[in-house]
Amino acid sequence: MPSLIVSLPDEPEVTHELTEEVITLGRISENALQIEHASVSSYHAELTLRGDNYILKDLGSTNGTRVNGRAIEPEQEVPLNPNDEIQFGHVDTKYVTDAGSHSQPLPSDAEPAIAVASSSAVPSNFANASPFQKKTEKKDPANTAVLVLGIVALLGALAAIVTALGLKAPM
């Protein structure tokens, strides 16, 4: 039989057997399963039996619902698997069942969200079309000054060598 193990902070774990087809869950007593915690909304979520397992739906709660660490959107239906960890607001729970415990379905591949552009413009040049970054050299005046000074010093040294070689030894 499926059940929900609720772990409230500073309190012992409580196991709730899920026996109804539709179970509302929230902070107030009008829900089939009441979790008295400030982070749980009045009408937080709903569990609906489909086949052997329950489907979880967040009812637009203030602090949200997470299944195995993944946030679910309001009104999104999430099939529960054995040993799923569910967080209602800041309250941790665990879904436990014997049904279907032998195998779990593989996660479905989500279609990538691809939006078609509503308009496009022809580029004036294709300078940015390459996936490779171009190396642009930055001009540094200090490096240029050092290079010019080095060339002048080299020319001065060559002039001194030529002059020294052109000298005739005294006789």
Side-chain angles (χ1 to χ4, degrees), residues 13-158:
E13 288 184 346
V14 178
T15 302
H16 297 277
E17 289 187 358
L18 307 176
T19 57
E20 300 173 25
E21 266 189 54
V22 178
I23 300 169
T24 57
L25 183 141
R27 188 177 65 241
I28 61 175
S29 62
E30 293 158 8
N31 291 291
L33 200 154
Q34 182 182 10
I35 300 176
E36 295 183 63
H37 192 269
S39 68
V40 176
S41 295
S42 298
Y43 295 99
H44 197 100
E46 181 179 86
L47 295 167
T48 306
L49 184 62
R50 291 211 187 124
D52 292 334
N53 285 316
Y54 279 88
I55 304 292
L56 171 68
K57 179 170 64 171
D58 184 278
L59 298 176
S61 62
T62 304
N63 293 314
T65 303
R66 297 171 104 45
V67 176
N68 296 324
R70 186 179 61 95
I72 64 170
E73 297 294 321
E75 301 300 320
Q76 176 187 357
E77 293 186 345
V78 177
L80 295 178
N81 294 309
N83 299 318
D84 274 350
E85 294 179 5
I86 308 165
Q87 192 174 26
F88 300 106
H90 300 293
V91 176
D92 294 326
T93 65
K94 187 173 189 175
Y95 176 72
V96 188
T97 182
D98 297 334
S101 62
H102 302 294
S103 65
Q104 292 184 6
L106 293 173
S108 63
D109 291 334
E111 288 293 323
I114 300 173
V116 177
S118 60
S119 65
S120 64
V122 176
S124 59
N125 63 13
F126 289 93
N128 65 346
S130 174
F132 304 106
Q133 294 289 331
K134 292 184 179 177
K135 292 183 180 178
T136 56
E137 293 189 27
K138 298 176 184 173
K139 295 185 179 182
D140 187 8
N143 285 346
T144 305
V146 168
L147 183 63
V148 169
L149 186 60
I151 291 172
V152 169
L154 198 74
L155 289 175
L158 283 174

Side-chain angles (χ1 to χ4, degrees), residues 157-170:
L158 283 174
I161 291 172
V162 168
T163 305
L165 291 175
L167 292 176
K168 294 186 181 179

